[in-house]
Amino acid sequence: MSVELGLPKIRPQAPQLAPRRKSRQIMVGSVPVGGDAPVSVQSMTTTLTSDVNSTLQQIAELTAAGCQIVRVACPSQDDADALPQIARKSPIPVIADIHFQPKYVFAAIDAGCAAVRVNPGNIKKFDDKIGEIAKAAAGAGVPIRIGVNAGSLDKRLLEKYGKATPEALVESALWECSLFEEHGFQDIKISVKHNDPVVMIEAYRQLAARCDYPLHLGVTEAGPAFQGTIKSAVAFGALLSQGIGDTIRVSLSAPPVEEIKVGSQILESLGLRERGLEIVSCPSCGRAQVDVYTLAERVTAGLQGFPVPLRVAVMGCVVNGPGEAREADLGVASGNGKGQIFVKGEVIKTVPEDQIVETLIEEALRIAEEMGVEVDLDDDGGPGVQVVTAP
Ligand code: SF4
C-alpha cells in the first residue's frame, strides 16, 4: 500500500535546483524508487524485530509521521521468523536488513519482504552466494539494496585504498553490482555511506556518474539529533540539489520518528516534496515589539498536524513584518501591543497581542474550510488541531 501525503495543493510546487539524475526505477513493494518517482523517505525500526507487536507499533508511528519505506534488522533466527507477520501487517513496504548470514536473505525473500539490504563487506563468502540470491530475488520480484558502509568495507578494498575513500566505497558497490549483473539481475539500488559528509558526497557523485541504479542516500552514524540533522541536511542538500538521490534515510541517535521529520523537512526545503506547514518567523532583534520566540512556538504548536499546506509568517515588528506577512498565506506583523493579521496578502484585521495566536488559528481553519478540509480543535479547545476529513 503506498502512502500518499494527501495534501491539497495551495500553491505551485517550488522550483527545483536541478533536474533529477536519470536512474532506472525499481519497486520497493508499492513504492517506486528511481526514475521520475518522488524522492522517498525511509527509516529503520529500533525494536527487536522478533517482538512483532512492538515493531508493528513503531512502524505505525513511523507511517503516521510520513515514513514511506521501513527497514528492520534481522540478526537472528527469531527475527527471521518474525518477518512474515511484519511484512504482511505493515502498512508500508518492509526491507530486511541482513548482515553476516546469507540464509536470512533467503528467509526475508520467502517472508514477503519488499526488498532486502545486504552489506557485502559483512557477509562471509557473499560473492559465492550471489547466483542463488539473484535467482531467489528475481523469482520473487524483490529488489536488493547493496549497502556499502565505510565501517564494514570489504577487506580487499581496505588494503587497496588504505581506508574507506570515496573510490573504495564506489568500487565495492560496483563490484557487487557486476556480480549480480552476471546473473542478469539489475533490480538493485545502492548506498555508499560514510560518517563524513565530504567523503559521502564525493562517493555518491562518483557513483552517480558511473551507473544508473537508483541511489539510497545516507550519512551513516551521523550522531545525535542536532549534529546528525546538520550533517544529513548538508550532505543530502549538496547531492539532491544536483539531482542525485532517489530515497533518503537520515540516521540519528534519536527515535526514528525524528529521522522522518528531518528527512521530510529536507525534501520540503529543497522543493522536492509539497511543503506542509511552514512557519516563516523572524529571528527577532532589538526592534521586536513582541516575544517572537514564544509567539512562533505557540503558532507552530497550535497548527501542528494541520492538513493543508500553509505558509504562516510570524514577524516581530513592522520593518520586514508586513512584507513577509503579505507573501505568506497567513501572517502577523506585530507592534505596539497589537498584531496586524494578513490573509493572502491583505490586512484583514488588527487584534490585541494576546489574541494573535487564536486569530491565526481561526484564519487557518477558515482557509482549510474553503479548501473543503474539515479540521477540529483538540478536545480541550486549545492549540493543536485534529484532522477530521481530508479530500
Ligand atoms: S521583523 Fe522586525 S523584529 Fe523581526 S528581525 Fe526583522 S526587524 Fe527585527
Side-chain angles (χ1 to χ4, degrees):
M1 188 204 313
S2 78
V3 175
E4 292 292 329
L5 290 177
L7 296 175
K9 299 250 183 289
I10 196 170
R11 66 181 90 87
Q13 185 79 6
Q16 293 177 13
L17 288 165
R20 288 273 295 285
R21 159 183 169 265
K22 289 200 187 327
S23 59
R24 65 175 65 227
Q25 190 170 87
I26 64 167
M27 292 300 294
V28 176
S30 56
V31 177
V33 174
D36 58 2
V39 179
S40 48
V41 178
Q42 50 179 290
S43 183
M44 189 164 179
T45 51
T46 54
T47 52
L48 283 176
T49 303
S50 56
D51 181 348
V52 173
N53 286 342
S54 300
T55 303
L56 285 171
Q57 173 63 31
Q58 195 171 59
I59 291 175
E61 288 163 14
L62 285 166
T63 306
C67 182
Q68 293 163 290
I69 297 171
V70 68
R71 190 154 43 108
V72 299
C74 184
S76 74
Q77 189 59 48
D78 284 348
D79 300 312
D81 292 343
L83 290 177
Q85 247 199 93
I86 293 171
R88 198 171 58 248
K89 292 188 176 167
S90 169
I92 53 176
V94 174
I95 300 181
D97 191 71
I98 313 290
H99 295 251
F100 305 114
Q101 298 262 20
K103 67 177 178 182
Y104 297 141
V105 176
F106 300 105
I109 292 170
D110 289 345
C113 288
V116 179
R117 181 270 171 120
V118 294
N119 179 344
N122 263 353
I123 300 185
K124 280 198 195 88
K125 302 220 169 117
F126 179 72
D127 294 357
D128 303 345
K129 298 277 178 197
I130 283 181
E132 281 173 71
I133 292 174
K135 193 168 166 214
V142 170
I144 300 283
R145 167 152 76 93
I146 296 177
V148 175
N149 201 311
S152 50
L153 189 64
D154 195 316
K155 280 200 182 61
R156 182 176 62 86
L157 292 161
L158 259 187
E159 277 163 24
K160 179 174 171 187
Y161 289 95
K163 59 180 181 177
T165 61
E167 291 74 17
L169 295 168
V170 171
E171 188 172 327
S172 174
L174 293 180
W175 163 254
E176 297 304 331
C177 287
S178 73
L179 297 180
F180 276 101
E181 287 159 4
E182 276 175 20
H183 296 279
F185 187 87
Q186 291 187 302
D187 202 4
I188 292 171
K189 66 181 167 131
I190 308 179
S191 61
V192 280
K193 298 191 182 181
H194 197 288
N195 61 43
D196 181 337
V198 175
V199 179
M200 176 270 193
I201 291 167
E202 185 53 26
Y204 276 99
R205 276 190 188 144
Q206 292 184 17
L207 189 59
R210 291 182 56 186
C211 71
D212 70 350
Y213 289 117
L215 301 182
H216 161 122
L217 302 187
V219 177
T220 191
E221 290 99 32
F226 179 74
Q227 179 184 300
T229 298
I230 301 281
K231 278 188 173 185
S232 301
V234 166
F236 296 1
L239 290 163
L240 290 167
S241 67
Q242 295 172 10
I244 298 172
D246 301 289
T247 182
I248 62 172
R249 190 260 169 125
V250 174
S251 301
L252 299 179
S253 305
V257 162
E258 298 305 311
E259 299 184 348
I260 297 303
K261 289 186 195 163
V262 173
S264 300
Q265 196 67 53
I266 290 172
L267 294 184
E268 287 182 21
S269 299
L270 287 166
L272 292 169
R273 179 179 273 194
E274 175 79 38
R275 289 179 182 151
L277 175 65
E278 191 183 353
I279 304 290
V280 181
S281 59
C282 80
S284 189
C285 72
R287 294 187 199 92
Q289 295 172 350
V290 69
D291 177 356
V292 179
Y293 302 162
T294 305
L295 191 57
E297 261 170 29
R298 289 182 61 209
V299 173
T300 305
L303 292 174
Q304 200 171 24
F306 202 68
V308 169
L310 205 62
R311 184 178 298 146
V312 184
V314 179
M315 306 297 288
C317 78
V318 291
V319 172
N320 289 322
E324 288 289 357
R326 247 185 219 108
E327 289 296 309
D329 301 308
L330 184 60
V332 60
S334 313
N336 291 331
K338 295 183 192 137
Q340 259 187 333
I341 306 291
F342 290 76
V343 174
K344 308 266 188 253
E346 303 293 333
V347 178
I348 56 149
K349 60 174 93 161
T350 300
V351 298
E353 192 177 314
D354 61 1
Q355 288 173 25
I356 290 174
V357 176
E358 63 181 83
T359 308
L360 287 174
I361 292 173
E362 267 169 33
E363 292 306 321
L365 294 173
R366 206 184 316 277
I367 290 174
E369 197 182 325
E370 280 167 14
M371 296 173 74
V373 180
E374 194 185 334
V375 183
D376 247 4
L377 289 174
D378 269 353
D379 293 343
D380 61 3
V385 293
Q386 291 175 346
V387 183
V388 175
T389 55

